[in-house]
């Protein structure tokens, strides 16, 4: 991969552009590297933590508060699910129930459940349920991501 570094003293914010002929693993790795730099502020028991957007497995609303679930803990964030999706849907987040969204890149595998629901098994072994009402949007994102890898 060719990397061009250009000093531009007049810009107000650093930025990176990725140009590619085909979306392969090298390009995906570069994209994921830059996406990891998006940081969120979480709170838990009087502690505050900065963590990467890409560390989030899923988010859930409990008692009108939004919690992000990471491998190493649960942190409250100042978002509604809708505002979180509006901001970060392009980073692989999709709604799977009325009160939950998942980072599609953190799903290890899926298996069918009773009543046509789908179990999503995450990287950390946690199992969450894809509600039937949200299947269409979930599969549309899977198809879009699958199409990008080709």
């Amino acid at each position: 991969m060719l990397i061009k570094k250009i000093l531009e003293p007049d810009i107000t914010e650093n930025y990176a552009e990725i140009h590619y002929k085909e979306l392969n693993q090298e390009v995906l790795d570069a994209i994921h590297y830059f996406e990891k730099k998006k940081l969120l502020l979480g709170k838990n028991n009087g502690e505050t933590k900065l963590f990467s957007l890409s560390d989030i497995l899923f988010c859930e609303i409990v008692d009108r508060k939004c919690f992000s679930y990471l491998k190493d803990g649960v942190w409250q964030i100042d978002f509604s699910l809708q505002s979180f999706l509006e901001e970060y849907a392009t980073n692989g987040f999709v709604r799977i129930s009325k009160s939950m969204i998942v980072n599609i890149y953190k799903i290890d595998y899926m298996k069918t459940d009773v009543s046509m629901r789908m179990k999503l098994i995450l990287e950390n072994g946690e199992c969450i349920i894809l509600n039937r009402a949200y299947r269409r949007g979930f599969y549309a994102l899977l198809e879009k991501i699958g199409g990008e890898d080709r």
Side-chain angles (χ1 to χ4, degrees):
M1 175 182 294
L2 172 69
I3 297 177
K4 219 184 240 188
K5 295 173 271 184
I6 303 168
L7 176 64
E8 294 184 41
D10 296 333
I11 64 172
T12 58
E13 182 179 2
N14 293 331
Y15 68 94
E17 292 181 3
I18 299 174
H19 302 258
Y20 57 91
K21 183 176 182 176
E22 129 185 22
L23 191 63
N24 57 25
Q25 192 59 48
E26 183 181 42
V27 174
L28 287 171
D29 289 344
I31 291 169
H32 292 278
Y33 172 79
F34 286 109
E35 287 176 346
K36 284 182 181 181
K37 299 303 177 191
K38 294 181 182 176
L39 297 176
L40 296 175
L41 188 65
K43 301 173 197 157
N44 185 350
N45 294 327
E47 294 180 18
T48 303
K49 175 180 179 167
L50 273 174
F51 54 88
S52 172
L53 179 66
S54 64
D55 290 338
I56 298 175
L57 300 168
F58 66 96
C59 294
E60 181 177 32
I61 296 291
V62 178
D63 295 332
R64 296 184 180 197
K65 295 177 184 162
C66 187
F67 294 92
S68 57
Y69 291 75
L70 286 59
K71 285 184 181 179
D72 65 346
V74 179
W75 298 87
Q76 182 181 345
I77 55 176
D78 291 328
F79 281 95
S80 67
L81 286 186
Q82 188 59 40
S83 64
F84 189 92
L85 278 175
E86 287 170 3
E87 185 82 21
Y88 301 117
T90 58
N91 296 93
F93 289 92
V94 64
R95 186 168 243 155
I96 60 166
S97 73
K98 182 178 179 183
S99 62
M100 192 178 291
I101 57 178
V102 67
N103 182 344
I104 208 157
Y105 296 111
K106 299 295 182 178
I107 298 172
D108 193 21
Y109 63 95
M110 304 179 299
K111 63 183 184 179
T112 56
D113 193 23
V114 295
S115 303
M116 296 185 53
R117 294 187 306 180
M118 183 73 70
K119 286 184 179 181
L120 308 176
I121 313 303
L122 304 177
E123 292 179 345
N124 67 345
E126 181 139 6
C127 174
I128 57 178
I129 303 295
L130 169 61
N131 188 299
R132 288 181 296 180
Y134 296 90
R135 284 178 79 165
R136 182 171 289 160
F138 178 83
Y139 284 113
L141 182 58
L142 271 183
E143 183 68 31
K144 179 181 175 192
I145 290 171
E148 288 176 356
D149 289 341
R150 290 182 205 149

